[in-house]
Amino acid sequence: MSITITWHGHSCFSVSADGYSIVLDPYAPDSVPGLPPLSLSASQVLCSHGHSDHGYTDAVDLSAGKQGSPFTVTVIQTFHDDQNGSLRGENRIHILEADDLRIAHLGDLGCTLEPGQMELLKDLDAIMIPVGGYYTIDAAQAMALVEAVKPRIVIPMHYRSDTFGYDVIGRLEDYTKLCRDVVTYASASMVLEKDTPAQTAVLSL
């Protein structure tokens, strides 16, 4: 079993296994500076919260998706800020398991996790984690979380570049300069298997 992970920009990913695909956190047109509108097909959509840059389910056509999911989904309820949600509301972390692979998408995590929540994030094969700060945890906080739960592969998200992203959030390099074993992919996709080497995986649009 393998899981194909494809980044569509910002925090939007497709993950697929055994012909079944899940889109996570699709963004609305014109909600993220520099990114084109999404037009995706999938079997299922999962959103961390309802903001337009994470919860635009109309971007995903579910009519052609395969039924019968190989994934089990575990949800961890967290907050979009460090004020128990009073600033930006709640956030859901999704843990997806297929066969012997476990991955997690942290959405717009903006708070420190409780010990029990941290325990659920251990033994991950891959984690998709925001690193930009301002609306979410920043690069240093993301690194602290990664060092605590020790996922095999880290895929940073929710950052800005010269061509896309909110100008108030940090750049990818703010995070990768803290990392070892950074692998930059020439494409937006990677195939995750049990023998994929540990790395910080930078996917390219």
Side-chain angles (χ1 to χ4, degrees):
M1 172 73 75
S2 65
I3 296 176
T4 299
I5 301 173
T6 301
W7 184 50
H8 301 291
H10 201 48
S11 297
C12 182
F13 289 82
S14 296
V15 298
S16 60
D18 194 26
Y20 189 95
S21 60
I22 299 175
V23 169
L24 295 139
D25 280 21
Y27 59 84
D30 300 319
S31 64
V32 183
L35 291 181
L38 293 171
S39 180
L40 304 172
S41 297
S43 310
Q44 186 177 355
V45 184
L46 297 173
C47 300
S48 62
H49 62 292
H51 292 169
S52 63
D53 59 326
H54 291 261
Y56 187 67
T57 57
D58 285 350
V60 186
D61 177 11
L62 298 177
S63 63
K66 175 185 174 182
Q67 302 305 305
S69 177
F71 293 98
T72 59
V73 180
T74 301
V75 176
I76 304 175
Q77 296 289 347
T78 63
F79 296 107
H80 197 330
D81 55 62
D82 59 1
Q83 306 294 322
N84 292 324
S86 63
L87 297 179
R88 299 186 181 92
E90 296 184 347
N91 175 73
R92 289 178 291 276
I93 292 172
H94 291 100
I95 301 173
L96 310 179
E97 300 181 53
D99 198 10
D100 59 347
L101 293 170
R102 298 180 73 239
I103 66 176
H105 184 283
L106 271 53
D108 261 3
L109 179 67
C111 66
T112 301
L113 296 177
E114 300 293 332
Q117 295 173 324
M118 297 275 277
E119 197 66 29
L120 290 172
L121 292 176
K122 291 184 176 179
D123 302 316
L124 289 171
D125 294 287
I127 191 168
M128 290 158 272
I129 186 167
V131 300
Y134 194 85
Y135 300 112
T136 69
I137 57 174
D138 62 20
Q141 292 168 315
M143 178 54 67
L145 178 54
V146 164
E147 290 178 341
V149 301
K150 295 179 169 56
R152 182 159 53 93
I153 293 169
V154 179
I155 305 174
M157 63 181 187
H158 208 280
Y159 55 81
R160 67 179 168 90
S161 75
D162 291 336
T163 59
F164 64 79
Y166 302 120
D167 58 9
V168 294
I169 65 177
R171 297 177 63 88
L172 170 66
E173 295 79 14
D174 296 335
Y175 180 75
T176 55
K177 70 183 180 184
L178 306 175
C179 303
R180 294 173 295 176
D181 302 317
V182 177
V183 177
T184 299
Y185 286 73
S187 74
S189 297
M190 69 175 296
V191 178
L192 175 67
E193 299 175 314
K194 268 300 180 185
D195 60 356
T196 304
Q199 61 188 262
T200 297
V202 176
L203 302 180
S204 301
L205 294 177

